[in-house]
Structures are given as structure tokens and as C-alpha cells.
Amino acid sequence: MNLTDPVSSIPLVGPGYAFKLKKVEVETVKDLLYHIPTRYQDFSSISPISLLQPGEKVTIQGQIISIKNIFTRSRKQIQTAILSDGQDQIEITWFNQPYIVRAIPEGTYVSMSGTVSQYGRKKTLVAPQYEKIHDVTAKQQGSSEVLIASEAKHSRGTIHTGRLVPVYPETSGLSSKWLRSRISHVLPTVIDEIKDPIPENILKKHNLLPLKESIIKAHFPESLEDAQTAKRRLGFDELFGLQLKNLIRKKEWKEKKLAHPFTVDSHKTLGFINSLPFSLTDSQNKASGEILKDLGKVEAMNRLLEGDVGSGKTVVAALACFTAAINGFQSAIMAPTQILATQHFNTLSALLKPHNLKVALVTSESRLASQGLSLRSYDVVVGTHALVQKGVPFEKLGLVVIDEQHRFGVRQRALLSEQGTKGHAPHILTMTATPIPRTVALTAFGDLDLSTLDELPKGRVRIKTWVVPPQKRDSAYRWIKKQVKNTDQQAFIVCPLIEQSEKETMKSVKSAQVEFEKLQKNIFPDLKLGLLHGRIKGKEKEQIMAKMKKGEIDILVATPVVEVGIDVSNATIMMIEGAERFGLAQLHQLRGRVGRGDKQSYCLLFSDSRSPLVLRRLKSLERSLSGRELAEIDLEIRGPGEIYGTAQHGYPELKIASFNDFELIKIAHSAAEAVADKLVEYPGLDAIVNKADFIAPN
Ligand code: ADP
Ligand code: MG
């Protein structure tokens, strides 16, 4: 068998199993070896029957003395067996697994793992894992049907019992037991084919286990320590591959994407900055400097500007557009929704018109064609992604700004950079309010240069945040009612996250509807409530937002996926239901919808959870107002692999390694940097780079 063979060439893997494996992206023998256990069950303690303790996790080995199938009165089937270890006997029970009677008939030597239970004075094992062994006395030589790979020579020769037993990420129809048996079957036949692509000196330097050994130990470790060192090595490969790929991309970008270098006229630049109604924050100044420096280069800029909602990214982008314009180039600004595009258009018009720049808004695909010709005379064109997909006829496009970059795919971003004029690429500035922990930035966005706005403009009033326990719900409602009634302030109520999905599901829409009706009828009968969810489209949605903005709605009930990214300066209360279901970064984003004006704003987090960990997590929102800090706390407390994991933050997920592992990420980074410039010397690395890919968010 070869590593590249399809899984269907493995005995007992028919089309059905091949199909199920494909669903978890396992198509070849090699993929199967890289299907790594998520945890291990410790059945390594093999105990004589006489010493069994109730509650203990053990393995017993011996011979089946008798085994039979019994029908209960309710016509269920029970299988009972007597197992002898040569000195004592124990009764074993299974439920509804009649095939066991044939699988391990009387006389068979077996190894069984499970938790000891006690009925009266009798100890038993209920539904243990089991496997045949050849002979109790033979077990030391490990002579069962299973793997004895050279490095695993201490293995007791069992795979389902009597050791640390691997538990795989299970999908329906692919049990860990089945995966173990198939992996243990192919592992010894192909393991010698595995070539370690990482150069010896790197392995040595960072104390990494050889690849072959790592794969064996990840599946069948002798100890948890074994498993850890194995996973560390495999995790390293993943991180190294991703980072190397980024470095290569970055290098290619620098070599291939030639742009028009802009002249930065410091006099005019200062003129623009002085014309603003406020002075820039330190981090706005720093980011602007980094961007202007990029714009002056012959290599196209490829920079990510990261900053919390309200940190003032737009004005930084405006300065870049201004610079392009005084160099005679057009800028395109792309926003993910119509609402945001319109908002940008208004802001940029206000900022740029005083300098005699012309700003256009391209609102819908249908109007593109008719607007096409006249667009040539605009300095800045704002629109949704239709802007670039449909190929707006720019005369001299020099700069592309993309807001909320995670909403656009890699392909859309690539498309953009091809929009330049006369063989020149436009400079690209992407912006995001998604806080990116440092480890994620290094791994996932390493091909971009990064600028961060890590402070809010002065004079903002700190948003007060409270985690509200169930018993205070009524008084919280009363408080909201009083706030909204006595002042002209408004509130958002965000419904809980029902399903993890970018698109709104019917389930979430219904629950928002129910919540809206309940609130309007029972809680706030004398207030005006509005409802907004993802199934409400276009005109109607804009009307609702416009009403909210004009103050005709007191409380807007919304689903989590709905874009409320519009400035409503009178909105001072953000109430979030089922807060525990959100990531901290997401809660922080939602919170950013209030506190836009100069009034004291509030964020109320409702949760029925009593888990101390959940409460600790939510409480961190009371303390911190920094998106990045919260994202890092979240990563630390929940870990990225949780159900409501990193996907909802909008950044990709890792398969084996973890964004929590700062040390390994740094090691992988320095290793990738060490080889990036001399790839020809290490042809084996191609495979790693080609394989490098994240699990896409949603
Ligand atoms: P972001 O896009 O980063 O969420 P915006 O660019 O929309 O933030 O800015 C939020 C608000 O802050 C806007 O009303 C903007 O005019 C204002 N603003 C931006 N920079 C400053 C500053 N340095 N001082 C005071 N207000 C600012
Ligand atoms: Mg913005």
C-alpha cells in the first residue's frame, strides 16, 4: 500500500466508508494517518479481577467461560458473559449487541476495558470495549492482530483496550473503534514511506520529534506525554506550513504587484489633517504614517488596518484616498452592505468635498452600467462588492479600500488587486473591526502588513457593562423602560444565537419574531418596538433602520447576524440575550453599536448560565473595553476548538495546533523565516506548503 492510495484500497473500507471519510476530508491513506485523535481514554491499567475497585477505569484480560443472549420481558436483548483471568471470574453485560455472542464465543481470549460497577456485592463491567487477543500469556509479546510498529515496541499489542486508547473526532457512522482498527491496520504498512520534510537542523533546534514517530505516537501513545510531544510536532508542521505559505505569498506580492508610487506632499497632507474637526489619536497618526510610507513604494501596499468599532478607521482611509487623488489616481471603497456603503459615502463626502474631491456612490448592480461612463470623473467611488466584480470602468484606479475584509473571500480580494491600470496594481488597504489576537495575526494574516488602532478617540464615555442574572431580569426591564421613556434614548435587544451560521436560518427568524411579540405585548406595551432580521431585505430593512435613526423606534429587536452597523447616536442601551452563546469578540462588537454619541451608554448581558467559567468569561466584558484583549481572553478560556469557536470571530481554524500555543507559533514563525528565502534547498517543503490550509470559517 502507498500513502497516496485512496482509502478504498484499505481492506474493509467500502464505498460507504470511503464516502463518510471524504466528508471529514480523508481521501487517501495519508489523510487517514493525519486524522489525529482529539483525546485518549486511559485504559492502561490492567488489573486482576480480584483487585477491581468500583468506579475504577480498568482493563481485564482473560478467557470467555460462557456467553449468551437473553431476552428480557420487554423483549430487549441483553448479552452476558463470564470472564476468567485464571484465578477469578467476573460477569460482563452488554445491551442490544447480539453479534457479540458470535464475535467472542466461549473459549476466546479477550481484553476488555471499561469502568467497574458494583451491583450489591457483585462487581461487573457494563458494556466494556473489547478485543480479541491470542492468549493471555501471549499478551506480553503483543501478538494480536494489531500494529507493532518499530517505535511502539512497548505496546501491549492491543488497540481498543489495555492502553491509552485514541478517541477520534467522531462523525456519524465513523466510530473511534472502526477508525482505530483501520489506522492500526495501515500504519505499519506505510509508515516507512513517510519522509520527514522538515530539515534536520530545525528539528534539533526546536526539539521536535521526527515525523514518523509522531504519527505513530499520536495514534497509539504509550503515555500522555508521548501523545503531547507527538501532537506538538504535528502542530508545528501545520503552523510552519501556514506561515511559510504566507511568507511566500508576501514575497510574490512584493515581486509581482507593481504599483504607481505616490508622492506624499507633506504640506497638503497636513492641510487635510488640519481640516478635520478633531485631532487624530496617536494610533491614527501612527497607522497613517505606515500607510503613507507604503503608498510611496513601487510595490503595491497590502496592509490590514485593524481597530475596534469607533476607533476611527474611516478617516485614516480618507487620508489614503486623499493622497491617491492628489497624485491623480482614483480610489475605490468597498463595503459589505448597502447600509455601510451609504454611511461611508456620507462620511467621505463630508471629509473630502472641502478639498474639491468628487465622491460617488454606486448603490446597486443595475445602476452600474448607466453610471459607468460618468464614474471616470470621480476621485473616490464607494460601493458594495459589485463595484469590482462587475468591472467598473475606472480611469486610473490607484487605491482599493476594503472595509470588513473578513466578509470577502480570498478570490474577491485577488480580483481586486487585478483591477489596476496599465499593468500596475492598485494599493490595497483592508480594514477590520474583528479583533485579531497576536497569534492569529501571525499565523493567519502573515501575508499582510498590519496596522492597529488600539485606542478610542478622546472624550468617549466609557460604556457601562453588566452581566444580568435571571433573577434580575424584571428589574432590568423596568430600568430599560424608564431610561427609554424618560429620555429620548433608544435600545437594541439582540436575540440569542440559535444556530451557528452566516446566513439567517428560519429558526432564528422565528425566535426573534416570538421574542419581539412577547416584548411588545407583555413587557413594553407602551413603547414602539421594531424587528430586524436577515430575512428582511433591501428597502424594508433600510426603512426600519431609517426609523430607528429618526427615533421613531424606541427599541429595536434584532437577530445576531443582522448588520446594525449604522450610527444611531441616541442608542445608548444594548441588551443581549443568551450572552453565553457568543464569543467575547462578538459581544464586544455588538456592544460597539452603542456609545457612538457623547451620552453614557450601557450594555446588558443576559445569561441563564451558572457555570463559573461562563460567568468569568462574561465578567471580563465588564472590565475590558479592548477588543483584542477580549479576543485573547476568549481564546485562553474557551480554546479555539469549542463549538462556538473561532469561526464566529471570522478567522480560520487550525486542525491540530492551537492559536493558544504562543510558543509553538513563534517557533514555527522563526523556522519559516529561516527557510523562506532558500526554498530550492529544501524541495521537501513544497508538500507542506501545498497542504497548508485552514478550516474555513463557516
Ligand atoms: P470605525 O470605522 O473604526 O468603527 P469610524 O471611522 O466610523 O470608526 O469613526 C467613529 C466616529 O469617531 C466617527 O464619528 C468619527 O468622526 C469619529 N472620530 C474618528 N477619529 C476621531 C478622533 N481622532 N477624535 C474624535 N472623533 C473621531
Ligand atoms: Mg467603520
Side-chain angles (χ1 to χ4, degrees):
M1 200 156 340
N2 292 312
L3 283 169
T4 49
D5 286 349
V7 282
S8 56
S9 60
I10 303 169
L12 301 181
V13 182
Y17 274 113
F19 180 75
K20 285 174 197 156
L21 285 168
K22 194 174 171 184
K23 277 199 184 159
V24 289
E25 288 172 30
V26 173
E27 297 188 52
T28 64
V29 170
K30 188 173 178 191
D31 295 340
L32 186 63
L33 296 191
Y34 274 92
H35 195 61
I36 301 299
T38 42
R39 61 190 177 89
Y40 304 87
Q41 260 178 322
D42 190 354
F43 288 129
S44 54
S45 139
I46 300 180
S47 172
I49 292 170
S50 60
L51 296 181
L52 294 183
Q53 296 297 325
E56 196 185 4
K57 265 192 182 176
V58 288
T59 297
I60 311 170
Q61 298 185 330
Q63 196 174 22
I64 300 280
I65 301 297
S66 72
I67 183 162
K68 59 180 187 284
N69 201 13
I70 304 167
F71 284 89
T72 65
R73 250 179 271 148
S74 54
R75 302 213 45 81
K76 293 219 169 73
Q77 295 184 52
I78 296 179
Q79 296 71 45
T80 61
I82 306 287
L83 179 74
S84 161
D85 66 359
Q87 300 195 315
D88 299 274
Q89 299 193 341
I90 184 169
E91 193 179 303
I92 320 276
T93 313
W94 291 272
F95 300 100
N96 289 315
Q97 301 182 49
Y99 55 86
I100 286 178
V101 177
R102 267 166 287 126
I104 44 171
E106 204 178 296
T108 320
Y109 286 97
V110 289
S111 182
M112 299 210 179
S113 293
T115 306
V116 181
S117 32
Q118 183 149 17
Y119 287 104
R121 288 179 45 218
K122 234 171 62 183
K123 290 182 199 98
T124 80
L125 284 189
V126 178
Q129 300 191 38
Y130 63 90
E131 69 191 293
K132 282 190 205 179
I133 49 179
H134 284 190
D135 188 323
V136 198
T137 51
K139 74 178 187 238
Q140 271 81 9
Q141 286 102 57
S143 62
S144 71
E145 64 205 282
V146 288
L147 140 112
I148 313 287
S150 49
E151 279 84 355
K153 51 179 161 306
H154 303 299
S155 163
R156 297 191 173 90
T158 50
I159 57 171
H160 307 299
T161 63
R163 56 170 307 130
L164 282 178
V165 175
V167 181
Y168 294 90
E170 272 176 45
T171 30
S172 63
L174 284 178
S175 71
S176 277
K177 182 163 188 175
W178 186 86
L179 284 164
R180 282 196 289 270
S181 96
R182 292 307 84 204
I183 291 168
S184 71
H185 182 86
V186 291
L187 193 49
T189 70
V190 292
I191 194 71
D192 285 327
E193 251 188 79
I194 289 186
K195 303 269 174 297
D196 202 327
I198 304 287
E200 189 74 38
N201 59 335
I202 292 183
L203 294 183
K204 267 227 177 73
K205 182 167 175 200
H206 301 298
N207 211 358
L208 294 158
L209 212 61
L211 183 56
K212 236 200 254 183
E213 206 178 325
S214 304
I215 289 179
I216 295 170
K217 287 186 171 170
H219 291 290
F220 300 106
E222 289 303 316
S223 64
L224 282 177
E225 222 180 353
D226 255 12
Q228 247 163 26
T229 38
K231 280 195 178 180
R232 178 172 180 267
R233 163 60 208 267
L234 297 175
F236 171 87
D237 284 15
E238 182 180 27
L239 295 166
F240 174 83
L242 290 164
Q243 303 201 45
L244 187 54
K245 196 173 183 171
N246 279 334
L247 290 176
I248 293 169
R249 266 204 208 125
K250 191 168 182 172
K251 218 172 121 208
E252 281 176 357
W253 177 281
K254 292 242 150 85
E255 282 164 11
K256 289 190 191 143
K257 298 288 180 187
L258 297 182
H260 292 283
F262 297 161
T263 309
V264 178
D265 180 325
S266 54
H267 183 70
K268 287 181 180 163
T269 304
L270 274 177
F272 175 79
I273 291 174
N274 290 335
S275 77
L276 297 171
F278 42 72
S279 52
L280 294 180
T281 63
D282 289 347
S283 54
Q284 278 173 328
N285 267 322
K286 182 157 177 270
S288 301
E290 287 161 349
I291 289 167
L292 292 181
K293 199 166 166 205
D294 284 358
L295 293 177
K297 290 184 185 162
V298 284
E299 303 109 31
M301 168 167 78
N302 194 18
R303 185 169 286 277
L304 176 62
L305 176 62
E306 179 214 346
D308 270 351
V309 171
S311 60
K313 294 183 290 294
T314 319
V315 64
V316 177
L319 176 60
C321 296
F322 175 79
T323 307
I326 57 176
N327 278 271
F329 283 88
Q330 290 177 295
S331 303
I333 299 193
M334 189 163 83
T337 64
Q338 298 243 350
I339 294 181
L340 283 172
T342 311
Q343 195 171 301
H344 277 321
F345 170 73
N346 292 331
T347 311
L348 287 157
S349 300
L351 292 171
L352 297 172
K353 273 188 182 150
H355 302 275
N356 294 320
L357 301 193
K358 291 176 78 181
V359 185
L361 175 64
V362 174
T363 48
S364 67
E365 294 176 46
S366 57
R367 281 160 65 196
L368 267 183
S370 58
Q371 288 178 340
L373 263 180
S374 56
L375 276 181
R376 289 166 196 266
S377 58
Y378 285 95
D379 298 294
V380 179
V381 182
V382 186
T384 57
H385 60 277
L387 199 61
V388 265
Q389 273 175 345
K390 294 276 160 175
V392 174
F394 287 102
E395 181 82 344
K396 278 183 95 179
L397 185 62
L399 169 70
V400 173
V401 179
I402 312 167
D403 200 12
E404 293 306 328
Q405 59 86 27
H406 70 274
R407 301 285 205 90
F408 299 101
V410 174
R411 203 174 302 121
Q412 276 169 317
R413 281 198 268 159
L415 248 173
L416 273 172
S417 64
E418 264 132 44
Q419 288 275 320
T421 41
K422 301 182 189 94
H424 285 78
H427 293 283
I428 303 223
L429 176 66
T430 44
M431 308 198 288
T432 182
T434 304
I436 309 172
R438 280 158 299 174
T439 53
V440 179
L442 215 52
T443 316
F445 300 107
D447 56 335
L448 305 175
D449 293 308
L450 186 66
S451 294
T452 308
L453 302 184
D454 52 11
E455 60 189 325
L456 293 183
K458 287 189 194 67
R460 289 285 162 76
V461 184
R462 233 182 119 89
I463 301 174
K464 287 193 175 137
T465 304
W466 295 306
V467 179
V468 183
Q471 65 270 23
K472 290 206 176 157
R473 174 177 288 270
D474 288 339
S475 60
Y477 279 147
R478 276 198 301 277
W479 178 83
I480 292 175
K481 193 189 265 179
K482 205 177 86 204
Q483 288 282 319
V484 171
K485 263 191 127 167
N486 295 353
T487 64
D488 60 348
Q489 295 172 24
Q490 293 159 285
F492 291 109
I493 295 184
V494 174
C495 298
L497 194 65
I498 306 275
E499 281 156 305
Q500 191 63 58
S501 160
E502 269 287 307
K503 294 251 155 31
E504 194 113 289
T505 58
M506 240 8 248
K507 228 169 156 179
S508 324
V509 170
K510 280 212 185 95
S511 98
Q513 188 91 37
V514 169
E515 184 67 19
F516 165 73
E517 279 159 19
K518 187 194 88 190
L519 289 170
Q520 178 75 82
K521 201 165 149 240
N522 305 333
I523 314 285
F524 306 113
D526 43 356
L527 293 178
K528 271 199 292 313
L529 268 61
L531 172 66
L532 195 59
H533 57 67
R535 300 277 160 126
I536 300 177
K537 289 261 144 52
K539 270 253 151 357
E540 202 186 339
K541 185 171 164 185
E542 271 164 47
Q543 276 167 5
I544 297 171
M545 287 313 301
K547 270 186 162 177
M548 183 72 183
K549 216 170 164 156
K550 275 190 263 168
E552 289 167 14
I553 292 173
D554 296 313
I555 299 176
L556 186 65
V557 181
T559 52
V561 297
V562 140
E563 181 62 59
V564 245
I566 193 161
D567 264 317
V568 182
S569 51
N570 273 327
T572 55
I573 299 171
M574 168 61 69
M575 176 189 142
I576 301 168
E577 287 283 0
E580 75 280 358
R581 309 189 117 236
F582 295 87
L584 290 183
Q586 206 177 9
L587 291 170
H588 175 70
Q589 300 260 30
L590 289 169
R591 173 168 67 181
R593 306 298 177 213
V594 297
R596 291 299 186 99
D598 48 10
K599 298 192 191 75
Q600 177 64 57
S601 292
Y602 307 88
C603 176
L604 278 63
L605 303 169
F606 281 61
S607 174
D608 294 340
S609 171
R610 290 178 183 197
S611 146
L613 209 58
V614 167
L615 292 176
R616 195 178 117 207
R617 213 163 64 74
L618 294 180
K619 288 266 178 195
S620 58
L621 276 150
E622 293 183 352
R623 281 195 320 274
S624 176
L625 286 171
S626 150
R628 183 201 289 221
E629 189 177 302
L630 289 165
E632 282 172 1
I633 292 174
D634 216 14
L635 203 53
E636 197 185 305
I637 299 186
R638 294 198 310 174
E642 296 289 308
I643 319 168
Y644 299 110
T646 47
Q648 70 173 242
H649 297 158
Y651 43 74
E653 292 189 52
L654 297 164
K655 297 186 188 85
I656 304 170
S658 153
F659 285 127
N660 270 334
D661 199 339
F662 201 48
E663 187 246 344
L664 195 61
I665 287 174
K666 277 204 322 221
I667 286 174
H669 190 73
S670 77
E673 278 195 320
V675 298
D677 285 330
K678 27 186 170 164
L679 284 177
V680 274
E681 291 172 36
Y682 305 109
L685 293 179
D686 277 1
I688 283 203
V689 173
N690 292 337
K691 225 184 66 171
D693 230 329
F694 286 104
I695 301 174
N698 289 314

Coordinates of all heavy atoms in Angstrom, one line a residue, residues 276-282 284 307-316 343-344 347 351 403-404 431-433 453 456-458 460 567 596, ligand 1:
L276 N -9.6 68.6 9.7 CA -10.6 67.7 10.4 C -11.1 68.4 11.6 O -10.5 69.2 12.2 CB -9.8 66.4 10.8 CG -9.3 65.5 9.7 CD1 -8.4 64.4 10.2 CD2 -10.4 64.9 8.9
P277 N -12.4 68.0 12.0 CA -13.0 68.6 13.1 C -12.4 68.1 14.5 O -12.9 68.5 15.5 CB -14.5 68.2 13.0 CG -14.4 67.0 12.2 CD -13.3 67.1 11.3
F278 N -11.4 67.3 14.4 CA -10.8 66.7 15.6 C -9.3 66.5 15.3 O -8.9 66.5 14.2 CB -11.4 65.4 16.1 CG -11.7 64.5 15.0 CD1 -10.7 63.8 14.3 CD2 -13.1 64.3 14.5 CE1 -11.0 62.9 13.3 CE2 -13.3 63.4 13.4 CZ -12.3 62.8 12.8
S279 N -8.5 66.3 16.4 CA -7.1 65.9 16.1 C -7.0 64.4 16.2 O -7.7 63.7 16.9 CB -6.2 66.6 17.1 OG -6.6 66.3 18.4
L280 N -6.1 63.8 15.4 CA -6.0 62.4 15.3 C -5.5 61.8 16.6 O -4.7 62.4 17.3 CB -5.1 62.0 14.1 CG -5.5 62.3 12.7 CD1 -4.5 61.9 11.7 CD2 -6.9 61.7 12.4
T281 N -5.9 60.6 16.9 CA -5.3 59.9 18.0 C -3.9 59.4 17.7 O -3.5 59.4 16.5 CB -6.1 58.6 18.4 OG1 -6.0 57.7 17.3 CG2 -7.6 59.0 18.7
D282 N -3.1 59.1 18.7 CA -1.7 58.6 18.4 C -1.7 57.5 17.5 O -0.9 57.4 16.6 CB -1.0 58.3 19.7 CG -0.7 59.5 20.6 OD1 -0.8 60.6 20.0 OD2 -0.4 59.3 21.8
Q284 N -4.0 56.6 15.3 CA -4.4 57.0 13.9 C -3.2 57.7 13.2 O -2.9 57.4 12.0 CB -5.5 58.0 14.0 CG -6.9 57.4 14.2 CD -8.0 58.4 14.4 OE1 -7.8 59.5 15.0 NE2 -9.2 58.1 13.9
G307 N -9.0 47.8 13.9 CA -9.3 48.7 15.0 C -10.7 48.5 15.5 O -11.6 48.2 14.6
D308 N -11.0 48.6 16.7 CA -12.3 48.4 17.3 C -13.3 49.3 16.6 O -12.9 50.3 16.0 CB -12.3 48.8 18.8 CG -12.1 47.5 19.6 OD1 -12.0 46.4 19.1 OD2 -11.9 47.7 20.8
V309 N -14.6 48.9 16.7 CA -15.6 49.8 16.2 C -15.5 51.1 16.9 O -15.3 51.2 18.1 CB -17.0 49.2 16.6 CG1 -18.1 50.1 16.3 CG2 -17.2 47.9 15.8
G310 N -15.5 52.2 16.1 CA -15.4 53.5 16.7 C -14.0 54.0 16.9 O -13.8 55.1 17.4
S311 N -13.0 53.2 16.5 CA -11.6 53.7 16.7 C -11.2 54.7 15.6 O -10.1 55.3 15.7 CB -10.7 52.5 16.7 OG -10.8 51.8 15.5
G312 N -12.0 54.9 14.6 CA -11.8 55.9 13.6 C -10.9 55.4 12.4 O -10.0 56.1 12.0
K313 N -11.3 54.3 11.8 CA -10.6 53.8 10.7 C -10.9 54.6 9.4 O -10.1 54.8 8.6 CB -11.0 52.3 10.4 CG -10.5 51.4 11.6 CD -10.8 50.0 11.3 CE -12.3 49.6 11.3 NZ -12.8 49.7 12.7
T314 N -12.2 55.1 9.4 CA -12.6 55.8 8.1 C -11.7 57.0 7.8 O -11.4 57.2 6.6 CB -14.1 56.2 8.3 OG1 -14.8 55.2 8.9 CG2 -14.7 56.5 6.9
V315 N -11.4 57.8 8.8 CA -10.6 59.0 8.5 C -9.2 58.6 8.0 O -8.6 59.3 7.1 CB -10.6 59.9 9.7 CG1 -9.9 59.3 10.9 CG2 -10.0 61.3 9.3
V316 N -8.7 57.5 8.5 CA -7.4 57.0 8.0 C -7.5 56.6 6.6 O -6.6 57.0 5.7 CB -6.9 55.9 8.9 CG1 -5.5 55.3 8.4 CG2 -6.7 56.3 10.4
Q343 N -23.2 54.8 4.4 CA -22.6 55.6 5.5 C -21.2 56.1 5.2 O -20.9 57.2 5.5 CB -22.6 54.6 6.7 CG -22.3 55.3 8.0 CD -22.5 54.3 9.2 OE1 -23.6 53.7 9.3 NE2 -21.5 54.0 9.9
H344 N -20.4 55.2 4.5 CA -19.1 55.6 4.1 C -19.2 56.8 3.1 O -18.4 57.7 3.2 CB -18.4 54.5 3.4 CG -17.7 53.6 4.4 ND1 -17.1 54.0 5.6 CD2 -17.6 52.2 4.4 CE1 -16.6 53.0 6.2 NE2 -16.9 51.9 5.6
T347 N -19.8 59.9 5.0 CA -18.6 60.4 5.8 C -17.6 60.9 4.9 O -17.0 62.0 5.1 CB -18.1 59.2 6.6 OG1 -19.1 58.5 7.3 CG2 -17.0 59.6 7.6
L351 N -15.7 64.6 4.4 CA -14.3 64.8 4.7 C -13.6 65.3 3.4 O -12.6 66.1 3.5 CB -13.6 63.5 5.1 CG -14.0 63.0 6.5 CD1 -13.4 61.6 6.7 CD2 -13.5 63.9 7.6
D403 N -13.6 47.5 3.4 CA -14.0 47.5 4.8 C -14.5 46.1 5.2 O -15.1 45.4 4.4 CB -15.1 48.6 5.0 CG -15.2 49.0 6.4 OD1 -14.3 48.6 7.2 OD2 -16.2 49.7 6.8
E404 N -14.3 45.8 6.4 CA -14.7 44.4 7.0 C -14.2 43.3 6.1 O -15.0 42.5 5.5 CB -16.2 44.4 7.1 CG -16.8 45.3 8.2 CD -16.1 45.1 9.5 OE1 -15.7 44.0 9.8 OE2 -16.0 46.1 10.3
M431 N -9.6 46.8 5.9 CA -9.9 47.2 7.3 C -10.8 46.2 8.0 O -11.7 45.6 7.4 CB -10.7 48.6 7.3 CG -9.9 49.6 6.4 SD -10.5 51.3 6.8 CE -12.1 51.3 6.0
T432 N -10.6 46.0 9.3 CA -11.4 45.1 10.0 C -11.6 45.6 11.4 O -10.7 46.2 12.0 CB -10.9 43.7 10.0 OG1 -11.8 42.8 10.7 CG2 -9.5 43.6 10.7
A433 N -12.8 45.4 11.9 CA -13.1 45.7 13.3 C -13.0 44.4 14.1 O -13.2 44.3 15.3 CB -14.5 46.3 13.5
L453 N -5.3 50.2 15.3 CA -5.8 51.4 16.1 C -6.2 50.8 17.5 O -7.2 50.1 17.6 CB -7.0 52.0 15.4 CG -6.7 52.6 14.0 CD1 -8.0 53.3 13.5 CD2 -5.5 53.5 14.0
L456 N -9.5 54.4 21.5 CA -10.7 55.2 21.0 C -10.4 56.6 21.1 O -9.6 57.1 22.0 CB -11.9 54.8 21.8 CG -12.4 53.4 21.7 CD1 -13.7 53.2 22.5 CD2 -12.6 53.0 20.3
P457 N -11.0 57.4 20.2 CA -10.8 58.9 20.3 C -11.1 59.4 21.7 O -12.0 58.9 22.4 CB -11.8 59.4 19.3 CG -11.9 58.4 18.3 CD -11.8 57.1 19.1
K458 N -10.4 60.4 22.1 CA -10.7 61.0 23.5 C -12.1 61.5 23.6 O -12.7 61.9 22.6 CB -9.7 62.1 23.7 CG -8.3 61.6 24.0 CD -7.4 62.7 24.5 CE -5.9 62.2 24.4 NZ -5.5 62.0 23.0
R460 N -14.7 60.0 24.6 CA -15.8 59.0 24.6 C -16.1 58.6 26.0 O -15.2 58.5 26.8 CB -15.3 57.7 23.9 CG -15.2 57.8 22.4 CD -16.5 57.8 21.7 NE -16.3 58.3 20.3 CZ -15.7 57.6 19.4 NH1 -15.4 56.3 19.6 NH2 -15.5 58.1 18.2
D567 N -24.7 54.2 12.6 CA -24.6 55.1 13.7 C -26.0 55.5 14.1 O -26.7 56.2 13.4 CB -23.8 56.3 13.3 CG -22.3 56.2 13.7 OD1 -22.1 55.7 14.8 OD2 -21.5 56.5 12.9
R596 N -22.0 55.6 20.6 CA -21.5 56.4 19.5 C -21.5 57.9 19.7 O -20.8 58.6 19.2 CB -22.3 56.0 18.2 CG -22.1 54.6 17.7 CD -20.7 54.4 17.3 NE -20.4 53.2 16.7 CZ -20.3 53.0 15.4 NH1 -20.5 54.0 14.6 NH2 -20.0 51.8 14.9
Ligands
ADP1 P1 -14.6 52.7 12.8 O1 -14.9 52.7 11.3 O2 -13.2 52.4 13.1 O3 -15.6 51.9 13.5 P2 -15.3 55.5 12.4 O4 -14.3 55.8 11.4 O5 -16.7 55.3 11.9 O6 -14.9 54.2 13.2 O7 -15.3 56.6 13.5 C1 -16.2 56.6 14.5 C2 -16.5 58.0 14.9 O8 -15.4 58.7 15.6 C3 -16.9 58.9 13.8 O9 -18.0 59.7 14.1 C4 -15.6 59.8 13.6 O10 -15.9 61.0 13.0 C5 -15.1 59.9 15.0 N1 -13.6 60.1 15.1 C6 -12.7 59.5 14.3 N2 -11.5 59.8 14.7 C7 -11.6 60.7 15.7 C8 -10.7 61.4 16.6 N3 -9.4 61.3 16.4 N4 -11.2 62.2 17.5 C9 -12.6 62.3 17.7 N5 -13.5 61.6 16.9 C10 -13.0 60.8 16.0

